[in-house]
Amino acid sequence: MNVEAYLKAGKIASKVREDARKKYHVGSTLLQVCEDAEAQIREMGAEPAFPVNASLNEIAAHYTAEPNDETPVKEGDVLKIDIGVHVEGYIADTAVTVCYDPKYDQMVKAAEAALAEAVRMAKVGTKASDIGRAIENIISRMGYRPIQNLSGHSLQQYTIHAGKSIPNIWTLGSSFTLQAGEAYAIEPFATTRDGAGVVHEGKVKNIFGITSRKPTKDDDADELLNTIWSRYKSLPFALRWLTDAYDVPRLRRLTDVLIKKKNVHAYPILVEGREKIVVQAEHTLIPADGGSTVITL
Ligand code: MN
Ligand code: MN
């Protein structure tokens, strides 16, 4: 692994997250929220590892702005801003919840307290299942529910979800231990006591990623596939990132071809099972003996 690249990605991700935390987003559109953060990543000399996620209220994750998205952030909203930065493919993944309804301030604190404890525990040899148990305990003790089917994950170069999951609940059965030389994102999500504590896939899909480069026999679709590959490889992308080269109707039509041919996967938004408010906190760390380097601190 390239520790220098991880540290640079982490420093930028952290700065972008903290600026997003301080900003007053009410009155902004989700397009502005996403594009401002992405522009800042690029100005600082890195690239987004995925489109900035700006997921409102009962949407837990995986919403990014559509081209010309005019959805406003309103008073009373709870907005998760999830930021990925990569330097040479080494990814820092971090998130903040901005809360414009004081009713949910404590729930945001619960997710952050759970993350702080998870980070404190994380070192070479820590069992992922122990982290999950700690996250669940803290969120439950503070009066909320963890989202049980969302989890943290190992990261590899150019791969955001690299195969190992760090649960947000106590789970029975086999687990793994954190190792040196591997990066992990830890991301507690919480909802209210009356929530389902699980998310399901919604209808909206606005984050995409290449899964196969096999030619489609449609020249226009193949050209789009090549453009996407040259820019983003297999990392996730948004249609608004391609509007410099394609008008939106044509882009949507060709993307649909690539989805049907299974060259591109469309990621659905993830919605709380009883449509209750969801909050999130996230850091990326590299374990060491006796502690870990939190690259997004
Ligand atoms: Mn994330
Ligand atoms: Mn993540």
Side-chain angles (χ1 to χ4, degrees):
M1 78 154 63
N2 183 337
V3 176
E4 287 302 302
Y6 266 123
L7 293 176
K8 181 179 175 186
K11 197 172 170 185
I12 293 168
S14 165
K15 169 73 174 149
V16 174
R17 184 199 62 227
E18 286 312 298
D19 285 358
R21 190 198 301 275
K22 283 177 218 143
K23 233 177 259 174
Y24 183 65
H25 297 278
V26 171
S28 297
T29 64
L30 294 182
L31 184 65
Q32 289 168 320
V33 170
C34 294
E35 287 195 333
D36 287 357
E38 290 164 5
Q40 194 183 357
I41 292 167
R42 295 189 173 107
E43 279 157 22
M44 293 181 77
E47 288 295 323
F50 50 80
V52 166
N53 289 203
S55 306
L56 281 171
N57 303 322
E58 73 278 7
I59 302 173
H62 292 179
Y63 186 95
T64 198
E66 293 284 354
N68 308 314
D69 198 323
E70 288 177 358
T71 311
V73 182
K74 302 189 302 295
E75 204 53 56
D77 277 343
V78 176
L79 173 64
K80 282 76 63 188
I81 303 174
D82 194 330
I83 296 154
V85 173
H86 84 89
V87 172
E88 295 167 43
Y90 295 97
I91 299 162
D93 185 0
T94 189
V96 61
T97 301
V98 291
C99 182
Y100 301 110
D101 184 341
K103 207 163 57 238
Y104 299 108
D105 284 347
Q106 266 309 107
M107 191 158 80
V108 174
K109 289 213 173 74
E112 287 183 347
L115 178 60
E117 174 61 14
V119 162
R120 197 194 59 74
M121 292 169 69
K123 54 182 187 292
V124 171
T126 303
K127 282 163 80 177
S129 58
D130 286 342
I131 293 176
R133 177 162 49 186
I135 289 172
E136 176 171 25
N137 281 342
I138 289 170
I139 290 172
S140 302
R141 248 190 277 130
M142 291 178 72
Y144 303 99
R145 263 186 110 148
I147 301 288
Q148 50 181 282
N149 61 342
L150 289 174
S151 56
H153 47 96
S154 56
L155 295 140
Q156 294 283 337
Q157 192 181 19
Y158 289 107
T159 305
I160 296 160
H161 290 256
K164 297 176 187 169
S165 293
I166 300 179
N168 288 327
I169 54 160
W170 166 240
T171 46
L172 282 170
S174 67
S175 181
F176 69 97
T177 59
L178 304 190
Q179 347 175 327
E182 187 158 56
Y184 303 89
I186 301 181
E187 49 184 315
F189 287 81
T191 188
T192 48
R193 279 309 321 167
D194 58 352
V198 294
V199 291
H200 57 71
E201 296 184 345
K203 287 198 182 74
V204 173
K205 298 173 182 180
N206 45 37
I207 298 176
F208 306 90
I210 289 184
T211 47
S212 161
R213 296 184 65 206
K214 197 168 154 252
T216 62
K217 298 187 181 111
D218 175 327
D219 289 347
D220 293 337
D222 287 345
E223 187 197 284
L224 173 60
L225 189 62
N226 288 332
T227 302
I228 297 165
W229 179 259
S230 69
R231 293 185 183 187
Y232 313 117
K233 303 286 183 276
S234 56
L235 289 172
F237 64 92
L239 295 188
R240 58 191 166 74
W241 288 0
L242 291 151
T243 51
D244 61 321
Y246 290 86
D247 64 70
V248 174
R250 183 166 141 84
L251 182 58
R252 289 196 190 279
R253 187 166 49 75
L254 294 175
T255 304
D256 283 340
V257 172
L258 294 174
I259 292 167
K260 281 204 187 71
K261 302 270 187 182
K262 300 205 186 318
N263 294 81
V264 163
H265 179 71
Y267 296 88
I269 59 168
L270 300 172
V271 185
E272 210 290 320
R274 290 185 194 129
E275 301 199 345
K276 300 300 177 184
I277 301 288
V278 177
V279 299
Q280 175 198 18
E282 181 175 24
H283 274 310
T284 300
L285 56 80
I286 301 170
D289 294 326
S292 56
T293 305
V294 184
I295 66 168
T296 53
L297 211 53

